[in-house]
Amino acid sequence: MVSRVIPVDPFDLVIFGGTGDLARRKILPALFRRFCAGQMEANSRIIGAARAEMDDAAYRDFVRDSIAEFNTGRQACEAGTVDGFLERVGYVTVDAMGEDGWEELATRMRGRDVVQAFYFSVGPSLFGALAERLHKHGMAGTGTRIVVEKPFGRDEASAKDLNAVLAEHFDESQIYRIDHYLGKETVQNLMAVRFGNMLFEPLWNSQYVDHIQITVAETVGVGGRGDYYDKSGAMRDMMQNHLMQLLCLIAMEPPAKFDPDAVRDEKLKVIRALDPVEPGDIVRGQYLGGEGQPDYRTQVENPDSKTESFVALKAKISNWRWAGTPFYLRTGKRLRAKVSEIAVIFKETPHSIFTEDAGRHRNILTIRLQPNEGMDLGVTIKEPGPGGMRLVDVPLDMTFADALGPEAEDIPDAYERLIMDVIRGNQTLFMRGDEVEAAWAWTDPIIAAWEEKGEAPKPYDSGSSGPEDALALLHQDGRRWRDIRV
């Protein structure tokens, strides 16, 4: 199987925050890989923009270093390709809150008959200032596109304010709110599996699905993000966006066509159909020290912190398709393994013709986002050999690395795909403004209830599966979490 590479139209991509950590680790290496793949036309340019004083040559050295450090583990480009890529790279010193550098940037962009996109790889507090100055200096034309990173607000009110500020200068069709989880190959394959195969869609409802589990587990702690994370927590940092988006893709109705607004309309319906979470259906946790690592409060330098590093909850969707089928979501730091997966657990057969010795079995469709991207469907078969009818569950496995061979190593990562979608003008995998606001409207009452009660999160050991109370969340329903393991 050979993946096809379709070049995009020539473009200028300006990266505000071009010297920042996200640009260094993700954006610049992603663009380099797309260049290596032959997807960037000769007339395309990448321009870094930040407050740091440097010229084009110094920024090219910065880009070269980021590629050398963060382009590991992927098929190497031909010798000399880095130099070819760097020829397209430039830099402008810009003050986001002032006027310095803006006219120079406008001069570089002026008169270019290419797609022009601006990546806001900065904090949300600068979104409005950047949008205003792009408009003031003539760089906010009808064909301009802007990319904004999360967090997109910290509650419904601030999200509405941000949307309003951006709407003063850009149409909704020009705004790309990026969530890198939606750029993962497996997430898009989820839509292909659901809507491209007659096998699953008739079973994708409460009549056949017992429950669904969505897990995003990390082994790392908050690291150098302590100050930011302690003001956000797992609910704002992960649950409200990443896990919410995965929930929408799993639960949404088939759109009339694979069109950006048609897909996002269906996702929005899911969010609006979510019931409020009952107090007994949610658990917060905070990791303890262990395995040579400090505890959460030490890392964030706040001995009285009541911010959660783990959250698990049961969500219910009040519509015809999913009434009665619970969705269990959990995410946390310093857990047993780094795993992101969606597990669709089907109901048991209504009547078993086998003896009790055969055991109880059910089908499980597992969609793995990381590691080892792929899917497997657990089916029940007879265990080989004599001795009666003994049943065993085995996976029908589609691990991309096995199914695609060497091609799997060159599957574009999320940022590669999403940046190219921006250039194409395809918003399917990006969040719409009303979608973000609806997600916060569901999340805000949960956070408000926590703050009102003032309780500290439940402690849990580093390297565990989270607090014991999270296990009880499923046990009370006669179910159990899937193991967190690679």
Side-chain angles (χ1 to χ4, degrees):
M1 185 180 296
V2 179
S3 59
R4 290 184 298 164
V5 175
I6 302 174
V8 297
D9 292 335
F11 63 88
D12 286 345
L13 176 64
V14 177
I15 306 171
F16 291 111
T19 58
D21 195 57
L22 179 63
R24 187 170 64 95
R25 290 174 175 270
K26 295 292 186 181
I27 300 172
L28 293 168
L31 288 165
F32 174 63
R33 290 192 287 269
R34 289 300 86 206
F35 174 78
C36 292
Q39 202 160 13
M40 291 171 55
E41 294 284 1
N43 197 27
S44 297
R45 298 186 308 177
I46 298 152
I47 300 173
R51 294 185 63 181
E53 294 281 351
M54 63 174 72
D55 56 15
D56 288 348
Y59 189 62
R60 286 168 184 159
D61 289 339
F62 173 87
V63 175
R64 186 189 298 276
D65 291 342
S66 74
I67 291 171
E69 184 174 359
F70 296 107
N71 194 44
T72 58
R74 302 295 297 269
Q75 187 176 28
C77 293
E78 295 179 4
T81 307
V82 174
D83 290 335
F85 176 72
L86 294 176
E87 290 175 1
R88 303 168 184 231
V89 173
Y91 182 83
V92 177
T93 300
V94 170
D95 181 1
M97 303 299 291
E99 292 301 316
D100 292 348
W102 284 97
E103 191 52 42
E104 180 185 348
L105 179 61
T107 299
R108 292 206 188 193
M109 304 296 285
R110 201 170 288 134
R112 295 269 296 165
D113 185 22
V114 298
V115 174
Q116 295 195 336
F118 299 86
Y119 200 126
F120 291 9
S121 180
V122 295
S125 61
L126 297 179
F127 289 176
L130 292 175
E132 178 184 349
R133 282 161 178 75
L134 286 173
H135 187 269
K136 177 180 178 180
H137 291 273
M139 292 180 280
T142 56
T144 300
R145 295 152 197 175
I146 61 170
V147 185
V148 292
E149 276 280 349
K150 80 175 188 76
F152 200 83
R154 59 177 285 106
D155 52 28
E156 184 183 9
S158 59
K160 285 183 174 180
D161 289 344
L162 278 175
N163 280 335
V165 167
L166 295 179
E168 291 179 14
H169 307 288
F170 296 95
D171 184 77
E172 179 64 34
S173 64
Q174 298 175 274
I175 303 170
Y176 292 72
R177 299 172 187 82
I178 192 168
D179 184 339
H180 71 273
Y181 263 66
L182 296 187
K184 291 181 178 292
E185 187 75 17
T186 319
V187 172
Q188 293 172 79
N189 254 314
L190 170 60
M191 288 189 280
V193 167
R194 277 199 62 189
F195 305 131
N197 296 282
M198 190 61 186
L199 173 65
F200 290 111
E201 188 56 27
L203 309 178
W204 212 266
N205 54 60
S206 60
Q207 183 178 354
Y208 297 100
V209 176
D210 180 78
H211 70 282
I212 292 173
Q213 297 184 24
I214 302 176
T215 297
V216 177
E218 300 178 90
T219 56
V220 298
V222 297
R225 301 171 67 222
D227 185 59
Y228 157 76
Y229 196 92
D230 203 42
K231 294 181 177 67
S232 299
M235 194 69 186
R236 287 188 173 99
D237 187 55
M238 294 292 292
M239 186 67 71
Q240 183 273 338
N241 40 72
H242 295 330
L243 277 81
M244 177 72 72
Q245 289 296 309
L246 298 179
L247 170 65
C248 288
L249 291 176
I250 279 285
M252 73 185 204
E253 295 295 322
K257 54 185 175 180
F258 193 62
D259 168 87
D261 277 330
V263 171
R264 295 187 294 181
D265 285 345
E266 298 303 335
K267 288 163 60 184
L268 180 61
K269 291 177 186 177
V270 172
I271 300 173
R272 289 178 172 169
L274 284 168
D275 289 344
V277 177
E278 300 291 335
D281 287 341
I282 190 164
V283 175
R284 306 165 73 215
Q286 193 180 82
Y287 62 79
L288 299 171
E291 301 180 336
Q293 297 292 330
D295 63 11
Y296 174 85
R297 294 181 178 184
T298 300
Q299 282 204 302
V300 301
E301 298 180 351
N302 181 1
D304 300 317
S305 176
K306 294 181 180 178
T307 301
E308 75 285 351
S309 61
F310 174 99
V311 63
L313 61 83
K314 178 168 72 172
K316 302 172 186 175
I317 301 174
S318 289
N319 61 21
W320 277 33
R321 181 182 288 264
W322 294 116
T325 299
F327 289 71
Y328 299 99
L329 286 64
R330 63 176 168 173
T331 182
K333 291 188 175 295
R334 200 66 70 71
L335 296 177
R336 180 171 295 150
K338 182 177 181 179
V339 173
S340 296
E341 72 166 31
I342 303 165
V344 181
I345 293 90
F346 291 92
K347 293 181 177 180
E348 295 180 4
T349 54
H351 170 70
S352 176
I353 66 172
F354 305 106
T355 64
E356 291 186 4
D357 292 342
R360 301 176 66 183
H361 302 267
R362 61 177 64 197
N363 303 118
I364 301 176
L365 176 65
T366 306
I367 301 110
R368 298 186 306 276
L369 281 70
Q370 64 179 15
N372 307 321
E373 284 190 81
M375 303 183 188
D376 67 62
L377 174 64
V379 296
T380 302
I381 65 169
K382 176 188 175 296
E383 184 176 305
M389 181 63 75
R390 298 187 307 274
L391 303 184
V392 62
D393 294 332
V394 297
L396 298 176
D397 194 348
M398 194 191 80
T399 300
F400 292 160
D402 295 336
L404 304 181
E407 287 293 322
E409 297 180 7
D410 286 330
I411 291 176
D413 76 4
Y415 279 94
E416 294 177 59
R417 176 176 290 104
L418 293 173
I419 292 172
M420 292 299 101
D421 277 354
V422 172
I423 305 305
R424 293 189 186 97
N426 185 344
Q427 290 185 305
T428 304
L429 299 175
F430 297 83
M431 292 177 287
R432 203 166 58 192
D434 53 2
E435 196 180 338
V436 172
E437 292 173 13
W440 278 121
W442 181 75
T443 305
D444 281 354
I446 299 172
I447 298 174
W450 291 342
E451 293 175 346
E452 183 178 347
K453 291 182 71 174
E455 293 181 354
K458 303 294 183 181
Y460 64 93
D461 293 330
S462 292
S464 70
S465 296
E468 290 294 323
D469 291 43
L471 302 178
L473 186 65
L474 269 74
H475 287 170
Q476 67 189 9
D477 294 339
R479 302 182 175 100
R480 59 182 299 171
W481 286 110
R482 287 167 56 81
D483 290 339
I484 295 178
R485 61 187 179 192
V486 176

